[in-house]
Amino acid sequence: MKNKHLLSSSELQERARRIRRKIIEMNSRAGAGHTGADLSETDILTTLYFHVLGVDENNPEACDRDRFILSKGHGAGGYYCTLAEAGFFEESWLATYLQADSRLPGHPVRQKTPGVELNTGALGHGMPVAFGLALSAKMQNKSWKTFVLLGDGELAEGSNWEAAMAASHYHLDNLVAIIDRNTLQLADRTETIMSLEPLEAKWRSFGFEVFTGDGNSPEELLKIFSKLDFTSGKPKLILARTVKGKGISFIEDQAAWHHRIPVGNEVFAAIKELE
Amino acid sequence: MKAELRQTMVETLMEETEKGAEIVVLVSDSTSTSKISPFQEKFPRRLINVGIAEQNLVGAAAGMALGGMIPVTANAAPFLVSRSNEQVKADICYSKTNVKLIGLNPGFAYGSLGPTHHSIDDISVMRGFGSISLFAPQDPREVRNVFLHILGTDGPAYVRLDSLSCENLPGTEGVFTPGKISIHREGTGIALLCLGTAAHQGMAAAAILEEKGISATVAGISSIRPLDREALLSLLGRHDTVITVEEHSVHGGIGSLVAELAAEESLPIRLKRLGVPEGEFAPASPPEAIRALYRLDADGIASTAEDLVKSVTRRIS
């Protein structure tokens, strides 16, 4: 299945700006959310859903769809706003985010939200599941691809490396892992909490083809996606260098905005920066 | 005719794969533990070994289910339940993926290898998770029937599978009905309620008790979830003295299950729970020695029953 939008990089930029506005409105209305993570991943998700992924919003469970797993489940807000923008459900659902019995809970739930493949939230789960998905596609001679978006902080979970080892062992060139590398986690800088670098070398040594670029630039992301060779016998790792809270000057690159949401005048100021 | 339970599992998996079921078996270096070689020889591409990596074993199984296959994981119960606990919870139970988790050599089957290799908490842990069916088949016939059931039913399942080589028990004939309590032997004096293969020890105990003039009912609980609550209530209603027998902690297994039901329904029964006592690891000793220590062998069950019946009689007189 092909992506039906195939937006250009400038169109993706504009789309990402709209999605960011939705995130700010949704989180401030809900009074909670992971604003920093939502804004960090926006350009990656926009590029995936509006240019890369072969998915169908009218048939979210189509057998030949590409699979996407949001391993960093706390980025649910950015994910929901992207899915709504792509037509997977009514935009009015966004007003119910985090409410009792909402179709949009704090972390993704596949039984509730069209387009969601796995219930995430606990970290370190996406890679093993993505490995299993990609392996099942190979075993059944299916051409669909598996994409998984990882947070950088969650790379301290050993399960990621178990799956990375196995993906390489089974030559899963149909698996694309993307790291939202914003260098911040809940408490502080990733490198202060637990050194992750040298990430490129680590993934290469696990047998991955590694691509690095600006994860907040649809133009750079498109260039990387166009280079992926799905016949190379090797799984892929995209190290997407991002800024947590990207797009809003007073939110950018601060651990304090992991959980924070804009309130009062901050909402107007944030929206103004996105106009 | 005697059969080894894991071998029966493998034969059933092979039959169903031959019929076209999209089965894939995942192991974590546990090919010998699972006796899976005949399956591997016949369907080499359908056996995935992830190495000694239990988190990946279970996460990968969830992914393969989402990809349209029927994954069956086969490794030692202690490592499945403890090491991949959160994958079982989130990727299998909460995500409701069509994965069949097989916990091999549960209880203290690994005996002298010690508590790292014992699984006396699997039912307790799994009962705490939603969505997943829980089975502990008692004999070869039931192993086959349980596997036919789980492979043909969408949704997560856990099977506690012993390495026992045993005969079929009376009471497991016919179609397997999830939730059913098997009555292996009907008596009047006391009920011995057994988890999975412990029913074999229960039957041997009943024979000892018969010689002593005590008539025992032996019943097997092989379907912990779903559970036919009414059938269990009916059984408990017919007996005033009940012993639960399980190679499991008395916390969270069938002893707990019966105690909960009896308390909720205000049943006037005298209950003794045999198992690994609360707060203890079983020692690193051969399984027979551990059974004897906790009175889980035929002699221990029979003497416990005898003491209990006598004390009840004394109390009444």
Side-chain angles (χ1 to χ4, degrees):
Chain A
M1 188 185 286
K2 299 278 179 215
N3 184 277
K4 61 168 72 165
H5 305 283
L6 296 177
L7 298 190
S8 67
S9 62
S10 58
E11 289 169 324
L12 288 169
Q13 257 180 354
E14 176 49 35
R15 194 61 69 118
R17 203 179 355 256
R18 277 170 57 175
I19 291 171
R20 284 194 166 90
R21 279 200 295 271
K22 284 192 170 81
I23 291 168
I24 295 297
E25 286 162 6
M26 184 180 78
N27 287 3
S28 58
R29 191 188 299 116
H34 288 86
T35 310
D38 295 340
L39 296 169
S40 172
E41 72 195 8
T42 305
D43 303 289
I44 298 168
L45 291 175
T46 307
T47 306
L48 282 170
Y49 277 88
F50 291 94
H51 195 101
V52 178
L53 293 179
V55 289
D56 180 1
E57 70 279 12
N58 298 314
N59 187 9
E61 295 183 15
C63 293
D64 59 343
R65 73 191 183 279
D66 287 336
R67 267 58 167 189
F68 171 74
I69 303 281
L70 183 73
S71 187
K72 45 170 291 185
H74 56 284
Y79 190 25
Y80 295 151
C81 290
T82 308
L83 287 172
E85 184 73 18
F88 279 81
F89 50 82
E90 295 289 319
E91 207 165 311
S92 60
W93 287 21
L94 298 179
T96 71
Y97 179 49
L98 302 178
Q99 288 177 7
D101 297 326
S102 171
R103 300 286 296 262
L104 307 180
H107 293 108
V109 177
R110 74 186 192 102
Q111 295 90 344
K112 289 191 179 260
T113 315
V116 170
E117 303 277 0
L118 181 75
N119 302 0
T120 52
L123 296 171
H125 286 250
M127 265 307 283
V129 175
F131 158 67
L133 272 164
L135 184 57
S136 72
K138 284 277 181 194
M139 286 178 71
Q140 298 173 100
N141 298 316
K142 306 286 188 192
S143 60
W144 49 265
K145 311 291 185 296
T146 300
F147 298 78
V148 55
L149 181 58
L150 309 163
D152 48 2
E154 74 167 315
L155 295 179
E157 295 280 9
S159 49
N160 290 301
W161 304 100
E162 290 183 9
M165 205 184 293
S168 170
H169 181 80
Y170 283 96
H171 308 291
L172 300 184
D173 50 21
N174 56 349
L175 171 64
V176 182
I178 307 162
I179 299 173
D180 183 357
R181 181 66 171 126
N182 58 38
T183 73
L184 282 170
Q185 59 189 92
L186 177 60
D188 206 335
R189 292 272 166 211
T190 55
E191 302 310 287
T192 306
I193 304 284
M194 179 52 60
S195 304
L196 298 175
E197 295 294 347
L199 271 179
E200 286 186 0
K202 278 181 182 161
W203 286 88
R204 252 187 215 112
S205 74
F206 272 74
F208 278 62
E209 290 181 290
V210 178
F211 304 84
T212 301
D214 181 347
N216 291 128
S217 161
E219 191 180 356
E220 282 202 30
L221 287 169
L222 283 183
K223 274 186 198 153
I224 291 172
F225 282 116
S226 71
K227 278 192 243 171
L228 301 182
D229 173 7
F230 292 107
T231 61
S232 68
K234 287 183 166 190
K236 289 94 178 80
L237 185 281
I238 300 176
L239 187 61
R241 298 198 185 284
T242 54
V243 174
K244 197 159 182 169
K246 177 73 180 178
I248 297 159
S249 56
F250 58 92
I251 297 178
E252 283 186 0
D253 201 31
Q254 295 172 61
W257 277 89
H258 181 85
H259 273 311
R260 258 201 77 184
I261 48 140
V263 290
N265 285 337
E266 288 172 345
V267 180
F268 299 111
I271 296 289
K272 196 166 169 44
E273 288 194 32
L274 294 169
E275 278 169 356
Chain B
M1 201 180 69
K2 265 192 173 182
E4 212 274 350
L5 300 183
R6 290 171 297 178
Q7 205 173 321
T8 307
M9 165 188 79
V10 173
E11 286 165 7
T12 313
L13 290 172
M14 288 172 71
E15 280 171 34
E16 292 307 293
T17 307
E18 269 164 17
K19 283 186 204 160
E22 277 285 14
I23 291 168
V24 55
V25 177
L26 293 102
V27 295
S28 48
D29 197 25
S30 42
T31 39
S32 59
T33 314
S34 54
K35 288 194 176 292
I36 202 72
S37 300
F39 179 93
Q40 187 178 15
E41 279 159 27
K42 187 134 198 184
F43 309 104
R45 287 193 71 236
R46 288 181 181 270
L47 193 281
I48 300 298
N49 196 336
V50 299
I52 306 167
E54 291 83 4
Q55 297 185 76
N56 194 36
L57 175 84
V58 174
M64 299 193 90
L66 293 171
M69 304 191 81
I70 306 175
V72 178
T73 68
N75 71 328
F79 311 131
L80 170 74
V81 175
S82 303
R83 194 56 169 269
S84 21
N85 187 274
E86 196 180 70
Q87 277 72 24
V88 172
K89 174 189 166 190
D91 306 346
I92 309 297
C93 299
Y94 184 37
S95 292
K96 289 189 184 170
T97 46
N98 188 28
V99 174
K100 318 305 170 185
L101 302 167
I102 316 305
L104 299 164
N105 302 342
F108 34 77
Y110 284 112
S112 298
L113 298 186
T116 56
H117 284 56
H118 295 171
S119 176
I120 58 166
D121 55 4
D122 56 329
I123 298 299
S124 173
V125 169
M126 292 294 192
R127 280 186 73 207
F129 293 155
S131 306
I132 190 162
S133 301
L134 308 174
F135 302 108
Q138 309 167 84
D139 62 16
R141 178 164 48 209
E142 202 165 62
V143 168
R144 181 178 155 73
N145 285 338
V146 163
F147 273 86
L148 291 177
H149 168 71
I150 61 172
L151 294 172
T153 309
D154 189 51
Y158 170 67
V159 181
R160 179 183 225 248
L161 191 67
D162 274 302
S163 48
L164 198 66
S165 188
C166 59
E167 303 272 356
N168 287 326
L169 289 159
T172 58
E173 305 90 344
V175 179
F176 174 73
T177 311
K180 189 186 156 192
I181 310 283
S182 321
I183 307 293
H184 303 304
R185 177 186 168 126
E186 191 81 61
T188 52
I190 191 165
L192 309 176
L193 254 171
C194 308
L195 172 67
T197 55
H200 296 271
Q201 301 289 343
M203 285 296 277
I208 297 170
L209 288 168
E210 190 172 26
E211 285 178 13
K212 299 187 174 189
I214 298 170
S215 160
T217 293
V218 180
I221 297 187
S222 52
S223 176
I224 298 105
R225 184 189 292 144
L227 176 73
D228 187 341
R229 196 180 153 95
E230 293 308 312
L232 184 54
L233 276 174
S234 158
L235 180 80
L236 297 175
R238 299 199 298 275
H239 300 82
D240 53 16
T241 309
V242 176
I243 299 178
T244 55
V245 185
E246 56 192 323
E247 289 198 12
H248 189 276
S249 167
V250 294
H251 171 82
I254 62 160
S256 289
L257 194 150
V258 170
E260 290 157 17
L261 195 64
E264 280 172 0
E265 301 292 334
S266 305
L267 297 179
I269 61 166
R270 174 139 194 203
L271 173 67
K272 173 69 184 170
R273 295 175 298 152
L274 290 178
V276 179
E278 163 74 19
E280 281 189 30
F281 285 117
S285 304
E288 313 81 69
I290 302 174
R291 265 185 224 115
L293 174 69
Y294 295 130
R295 306 179 91 183
L296 289 163
D297 57 358
D299 287 337
I301 299 166
S303 63
T304 305
E306 201 179 354
D307 293 348
L308 210 55
V309 169
K310 279 182 188 161
S311 72
V312 171
T313 314
R314 267 201 306 275
R315 211 175 39 174
I316 294 167
S317 59

